[in-house]
Each structure stands twice: as structure tokens, then as C-alpha cells.
Amino acid sequence: MEDKEIIAIKALDYVTDNSMIGLGTGSTANFFIKHLANKIKNERLNIQVVASSTVSEIEAQRNKLNLIGIDTLETLDLYVDGADEITNDLNVLKGRGYDLVKEKILAQSAKKFIIIADHSKRVNRIGENYPIPIEVLKSTWRLSKKILDKFGQGSLRKNAAGDAYAISSAGNYIFDYSFDEMPLRDLHEKILSSPGVIETGIFYAITDCALIVDNGHIEILSK
Ligand code: 5RP
């Protein structure tokens, strides 16, 4: 079994009956969705789920989970998602899957937010391996770019086929930006205070726990 599946199964330890669970996006999150569905079936649990993206919505439907719309959600017990980068102090970079604002709102609303990741995602500094994804209003993206260009360099993300710009399921464009080094909190706040910016892929100080796997060996980082 590959590491991503091992760590997705480990996250089932945090699943309780009669709860509302948020489903993350990506290959690790997909393993969690599959094994959550098996657990619910085998143990006859009463669990509702909410999706963070079109991809996780499709996975939830394929696995016949009891899916509710994010627009009706008022409380969330648990949110489990993957990551692109994670530091030892539990700051996280996400967003290869476009849906930054939905992923972030579920992460921050959940009573418990757990990251599941393999060892390759560990970094000393957010932005070490990937640019920072930034979800922006589509209609004013050129103006937002001019503002962001004052302290960074980046461009609009293309879709997987490379024939159009990527659009989040909330209908926004995504930039990928590199910035000069500055404290993460300052960077996050500076990006967020730029007009037209909806959300960034920096998940600053909101992760409760990270389950990390390295060749089958599991490490748990907690707040
Ligand atoms: C989506 C994400 C993913 O969680 C992240 O890209 C990790 O993906 P994977 O589990 O496929 O490595 O942030 O927006």
C-alpha cells in the first residue's frame, strides 16, 4: 500500500459517529474519501459529508456518501485534507486543486482540522517548493496583478489542458506567485489585503494536527 493511502486510513481514527465531515481535495484526500465510505458502510455510521471542490464532490457521490451542499453548512466536526507543503509548526500551503476559498473556509470552520501528507510535503519554509496560490476576482484580475507585482512575481494559472485559465468552483481565477522572503504571517496578511484577492493558499496557524507518513512510519504533529 502506498504512503498516501496509509495516512488516509490513519485519519479514520478521528472519525466519530453522528458527525459532519469535510472532504479535502487531491490524491491523498481521495484515499480518505474511499476508506471513510468503507468505514461508514461496515460500522453503519451516521455521517454526513461536505465537499471542498467539484473533484471531492464527484468522489463523494461515486462512493455513495451522504453529501450535503456547502451552502447549507452551519457546523463542521472534522475537516481532513492533503497539503502541498507543511512546516514543523503546522503552517501549510495548499491550492494545487484551485479551490482555495472553499478549502480554507472548511478548514477554519471545523472543530478539528487534520492534514494528511507524505514526507515529501515537509519543508522548512512555506514557498520552498511551490509558488503561493492566490484566488482572485476574475473581472479585476489585471488590477490585482498590478498590486501584487509591487511585492512579488507571478501569473495566472492555466488549466490542466493548458488551453485556458484555471477557474475555481467559485468562479475565480488563480495566480501563482513568488515573493521576497518575509515573515509568513506578514506575507499572508499583505496578500489578503490586496484588493480583488479572495484567498491565499497559505493556511497560517489553523491546522490542529498533521499526520505525516514516511515509508509506512507515521508521525503525528499536534498544536
Ligand atoms: C488541493 C490541495 C491538495 O491537498 C494538495 O495539492 C495535495 O495533493 P495530493 O494529496 O494529491 O498530493 O491543496 O488544493
Side-chain angles (χ1 to χ4, degrees), residues 145-217:
K145 185 169 187 320
K146 283 217 161 116
I147 293 162
L148 292 167
D149 282 349
K150 289 182 187 154
F151 60 104
Q153 311 82 43
S155 55
L156 277 180
R157 189 185 297 177
K158 291 270 182 72
N159 66 7
D163 57 3
Y165 293 123
I167 296 183
S168 73
S169 68
N172 303 310
Y173 277 156
I174 312 292
F175 286 135
D176 287 302
Y177 259 76
S178 301
F179 297 97
D180 296 339
E181 226 172 302
M182 69 175 93
L184 190 62
R185 185 181 178 159
D186 295 350
L187 176 63
H188 185 229
E189 283 172 5
K190 201 165 175 184
I191 303 170
L192 271 183
S193 66
S194 304
V197 168
I198 315 261
E199 197 45 87
T200 86
I202 299 170
F203 283 46
Y204 181 79
I206 57 172
T207 305
D208 294 303
C209 171
L211 312 181
I212 313 279
V213 59
D214 187 5
N215 281 318
H217 174 77

Side-chain angles (χ1 to χ4, degrees), residues 29-168:
N30 284 350
F31 280 126
F32 176 72
I33 296 171
K34 178 179 123 187
H35 287 286
L36 176 66
N38 290 341
K39 182 178 170 79
I40 292 171
K41 202 166 125 203
N42 296 339
E43 300 176 23
R44 297 170 186 272
L45 301 179
N46 172 34
I47 286 176
Q48 289 186 303
V49 297
V50 62
S52 60
S53 64
T54 311
V55 174
S56 56
E57 192 177 317
I58 292 168
E59 284 301 305
Q61 285 163 345
R62 210 162 60 82
N63 284 281
K64 301 192 171 40
L65 290 174
N66 187 0
L67 181 68
I68 68 149
I70 199 167
D71 52 333
T72 63
L73 191 70
E74 283 179 12
T75 60
L76 187 62
D77 296 297
L78 175 68
Y79 180 55
V80 178
D81 203 348
D84 296 313
E85 294 182 347
I86 178 151
T87 60
N88 282 343
D89 52 357
L90 291 179
N91 289 318
V92 169
L93 186 71
K94 293 187 46 55
R96 304 318 307 160
Y98 311 168
D99 269 318
L100 302 184
V101 67
K102 281 196 190 167
E103 289 179 354
K104 179 86 68 84
I105 207 163
L106 291 181
Q108 204 152 343
S109 305
K111 288 177 193 147
K112 197 166 185 78
F113 170 38
I114 298 180
I115 284 290
I116 47 176
D118 64 65
H119 184 75
S120 70
K121 309 295 179 64
R122 289 189 90 159
V123 292
N124 294 316
R125 180 182 63 82
I126 291 297
E128 199 172 290
N129 295 335
Y130 289 100
I132 312 291
I134 305 171
E135 186 166 348
V136 292
L137 268 185
K138 199 163 168 260
S139 55
T140 47
W141 73 267
R142 285 185 181 82
L143 295 173
S144 291
K145 185 169 187 320
K146 283 217 161 116
I147 293 162
L148 292 167
D149 282 349
K150 289 182 187 154
F151 60 104
Q153 311 82 43
S155 55
L156 277 180
R157 189 185 297 177
K158 291 270 182 72
N159 66 7
D163 57 3
Y165 293 123
I167 296 183
S168 73

